[in-house]
Amino acid sequence: MTSLVLLDQALRLHDNPLLWYGARADGTAGEQRLVAVVCLDKSAFFSKQYGLARASLLRLQQQLQLISGTKQALARFNIGLVTLFGEPAAEISRLAMQLQASQIVAASPTGYREQQTLAKLSDRYQVTTIDVNSLLGTAALTPELSRLPDSFSAFRKQREPLLQVAPAVATYQPQPAQQWLTPEQSSVFYENFHQLAAFSQPSLPPGSDEQHALQRLDDYIWQQHAISHYKSSRNGLSGDYYASKFSAPLATGCLSARYCWQQILQYEQQIEANESTYWLKFELLWREFFRWQFRKYTNAWFSKHAIKGPLDFSPPTLTKARQEHFNNWCAGTTGVPFIDANMRLLNSTGLMSNRGRQNVASFLIHDLGVDWRLGAAYFEQRLLDYDVASNWGNWAYIAGSGNSGERQFNVIKQALSYDPEGDFVRAMLPELTAKGSLIHQPAAEVKVPEHWRNWLAKLTEKKL
Ligand SMILES: Cc1cc2nc3c(=O)[nH]c(=O)nc-3n(C[C@H](O)[C@H](O)[C@H](O)COP(=O)(O)OP(=O)(O)OC[C@H]3O[C@@H](n4cnc5c(N)ncnc54)[C@H](O)[C@@H]3O)c2cc1C
């Protein structure tokens, strides 16, 4: 039997049950003919959503770099990686026919598109899924979707007492019972993927492959012990160690969430367990929560009122004035320094702190009155840690259409709390010259909402 092993969500050798597929299944050498495959979904990277490109060039380059790194890593074991490009169900079917494969082995999907792809393939092939990216992925821990709470607190209270994340599986080593297609045999199937060569950028800063992800984890947890002060530093806006920066490798799947979790437990056993080490697990539980929420509500997350209210997939509409506000928000030219600094950081690096994300999202939705889905779509385009569940789930959360009531932040108050001397804004907006916290004063043309007035007064008081 020939099986295609889809590595799209798990381009890594550590804790990767997909690569171990068939290794010990029957112990009979040579029976499992396996083909490692990755398919770059053309429309996820090259189409538009609400008029916005779905992915920035940087995000595409990151994915191509990750694919090429994994291909090299597998080649060291004489395993080929067939790289496809196009509409995933069509491309994978075509390959399965060419190789007479009858089975497809893939990561359990979270997002609706991936769910649809596997549903289409299951009409013709035997599809086996393994949950390689969830903490609760193993059968004994898997939540029952119909009983999954819709509030994070209820989810955490329900799961935490029972939470035993399964150990990570061993880093992959070739097994006699597996017969993988070799790099040479795989190379004949690459023709579509060659079209992407023009986008490869060898000078992209390192950081988006498994090796760098594991180095970052080691550095953050074991070398710098930054995990020991995570709770007090996690609301920072920029810098190397204010938070873990595990999000991009977790989102692309080159870092295993289960492995992270087990590393935190080891740190707690060997070095110290404190409220910071707990809090990093707490945040990983947020990620987990959204993953299961997406499996529960599937495409409702893209509806105007997300999981609250009737389904309405009509695209967002904007008045001329709001369109201008939205364009300024994207470009980081709203005239509100704290917002613009965060948006320019996003535009230049593909990342933004959690504190920044909450503020710019709240500002767009609640102060500018723009449909939350436009903000989510812009984040989808720019974020190097773009993850369908964490992104759309958090946006809907702040809009009040997801797992909470509306969350409105007072961005002037927030600027004063998290950038009291204005250093972050000054670094991102060098054209602003005001001293100290006065730098947070919005530009003259900004229409100041009532709820900012007390806090704007404090900027001036501070100066006096
Ligand atoms: C509007 C909005 C959009 C977001 N979009 C994304 C996204 O596309 N991808 C993404 O990974 N995160 C997203 N987040 C969550 C969060 O902002 C990032 O995970 C975090 O800033 C990444 O930095 P870090 O790895 O240093 O996080 P840390 O603070 O070190 O947290 C550790 C890990 O916990 C998880 N985590 C932390 N906070 C959250 C959260 N609120 N929701 C879900 N998981 C969380 C992440 O996997 C993160 O890597 C979004 C938040 C908001 C408010």
Side-chain angles (χ1 to χ4, degrees):
M1 176 159 84
T2 298
S3 304
L4 304 186
V5 179
L6 297 190
L7 295 176
D8 295 26
Q9 318 287 322
L11 289 161
R12 61 175 192 253
L13 299 187
H14 75 285
D15 190 29
N16 192 346
L18 294 172
L19 286 176
W20 286 98
Y21 188 78
R24 304 185 190 100
D26 55 13
T28 319
E31 284 218 343
Q32 281 288 344
R33 185 169 174 251
L34 300 170
V35 184
V37 183
V38 63
C39 182
L40 193 106
D41 180 344
K42 188 172 182 180
S43 72
F45 283 88
F46 288 91
S47 68
K48 288 193 169 182
Q49 145 171 262
Y50 312 138
L52 298 168
R54 271 190 186 266
S56 66
L57 179 61
L58 204 59
R59 190 149 77 74
L60 172 64
Q61 287 171 338
Q62 171 179 263
Q63 191 64 18
L64 293 175
Q65 196 182 66
L66 178 56
I67 292 172
S68 126
T70 311
K71 196 176 196 171
Q72 285 168 22
L74 289 173
R76 279 180 223 122
F77 299 134
N78 201 31
I79 298 173
L81 179 65
V82 177
T83 47
L84 307 174
F85 172 55
E87 198 279 303
E91 291 299 318
I92 294 162
S93 294
R94 198 160 61 93
L95 182 72
M97 272 190 297
Q98 278 172 305
L99 289 165
Q100 296 180 337
S102 53
Q103 180 174 234
I104 290 165
V105 184
S108 303
T110 308
Y112 185 64
R113 294 164 78 91
E114 293 78 24
Q115 290 170 8
Q116 292 294 97
T117 298
L118 293 186
K120 279 187 211 160
L121 289 169
S122 66
D123 289 343
R124 297 173 61 183
Y125 305 98
Q126 185 191 328
V127 173
T128 301
T129 55
I130 308 176
D131 197 344
V132 294
N133 288 323
S134 305
L135 296 172
L136 304 175
T138 38
L141 300 171
T142 300
E144 204 181 305
L145 291 184
S146 61
R147 295 183 54 223
L148 185 76
D150 287 345
S151 100
F152 174 70
S153 299
F155 170 76
R156 186 174 60 79
K157 282 183 195 136
Q158 183 195 71
R159 306 306 308 189
E160 230 172 22
L162 320 166
L163 201 56
Q164 287 177 337
V165 173
V169 303
T171 296
Y172 181 72
Q173 286 294 327
Q175 298 298 304
Q178 297 176 305
Q179 268 196 359
W180 291 97
L181 216 66
T182 65
E184 204 184 6
Q185 292 163 333
S186 303
S187 62
V188 295
F189 302 105
Y190 295 161
E191 66 293 352
N192 278 356
F193 205 80
H194 286 316
Q195 298 168 26
L196 294 167
F199 298 100
S200 296
Q201 168 59 274
S203 61
L204 196 69
S208 23
D209 59 18
E210 175 177 18
Q211 192 200 343
H212 286 98
L214 293 175
Q215 274 167 7
R216 168 69 189 177
L217 185 136
D218 180 62
D219 186 38
Y220 182 79
I221 295 184
W222 296 102
Q223 308 305 321
Q224 306 293 331
H225 293 223
I227 185 177
S228 282
H229 59 68
Y230 172 72
K231 188 154 185 260
S232 60
S233 61
R234 58 180 282 273
N235 280 311
L237 301 167
S238 63
D240 286 341
Y241 296 107
Y242 72 90
S244 73
K245 305 203 178 173
F246 296 163
S247 57
L250 284 171
T252 56
C254 69
L255 180 64
S256 144
R258 205 158 55 165
Y259 180 75
C260 286
W261 187 272
Q262 299 297 356
Q263 289 285 300
I264 301 170
L265 293 190
Q266 271 185 35
Y267 185 88
E268 290 184 325
Q269 280 155 16
Q270 293 171 21
I271 311 289
E272 69 170 326
N274 63 17
E275 45 173 27
S276 282
T277 58
Y278 166 77
W279 214 264
L280 193 56
K281 291 188 288 180
F282 179 92
E283 294 300 338
L284 286 171
L285 275 187
W286 265 107
R287 172 183 177 275
E288 192 69 14
F289 172 65
F290 285 127
R291 291 177 73 76
W292 295 98
Q293 279 288 313
F294 264 64
R295 287 171 177 167
K296 180 173 175 182
Y297 289 110
T298 68
N299 67 337
W301 285 103
F302 307 102
S303 153
K304 185 169 184 175
H305 303 290
I307 61 170
K308 291 185 182 163
L311 293 182
D312 175 359
F313 296 104
S314 57
T317 49
L318 289 175
T319 59
K320 199 163 167 252
R322 287 222 166 96
Q323 180 69 58
E324 204 177 311
H325 286 323
F326 178 59
N327 295 347
N328 283 331
W329 178 85
C330 295
T333 53
T334 62
V336 181
F338 192 56
I339 299 302
D340 294 346
N342 277 296
M343 292 305 289
R344 294 214 208 155
L345 180 69
L346 172 69
N347 290 339
S348 58
T349 65
L351 289 171
M352 193 196 291
S353 67
N354 185 54
R355 182 57 46 187
R357 295 181 204 206
Q358 289 176 318
N359 274 279
V360 301
S362 166
F363 180 74
L364 183 76
I365 301 165
H366 301 301
D367 293 315
L368 298 181
V370 171
D371 189 317
W372 66 276
R373 293 174 299 166
L374 280 167
Y378 188 70
F379 265 35
E380 173 169 343
Q381 177 193 102
R382 308 301 310 186
L383 280 176
L384 290 182
D385 66 9
Y386 171 66
D387 170 275
V388 63
S390 293
N391 186 54
W392 290 80
N394 271 295
W395 272 95
Y397 191 89
I398 292 171
S401 301
N403 307 101
S404 127
E406 278 187 10
R407 298 273 155 153
Q408 181 165 16
F409 290 74
N410 184 320
V411 301
I412 304 298
K413 178 177 181 209
Q414 293 269 311
L416 272 170
S417 307
Y418 296 104
D419 189 25
E421 297 307 320
D423 295 338
F424 169 68
V425 166
R426 211 162 282 114
M428 296 313 302
L429 308 177
E431 68 274 22
L432 298 186
T433 52
K435 300 262 179 289
S437 64
L438 273 182
I439 203 151
H440 294 302
Q441 182 72 44
E445 67 274 15
V446 173
K447 203 170 150 235
V448 170
E450 202 45 49
H451 69 123
W452 289 3
R453 291 202 187 277
N454 283 344
W455 293 96
L456 286 173
K458 287 187 202 292
L459 297 182
T460 335
E461 277 164 27
K462 239 189 144 184
K463 183 194 161 202
L464 296 171

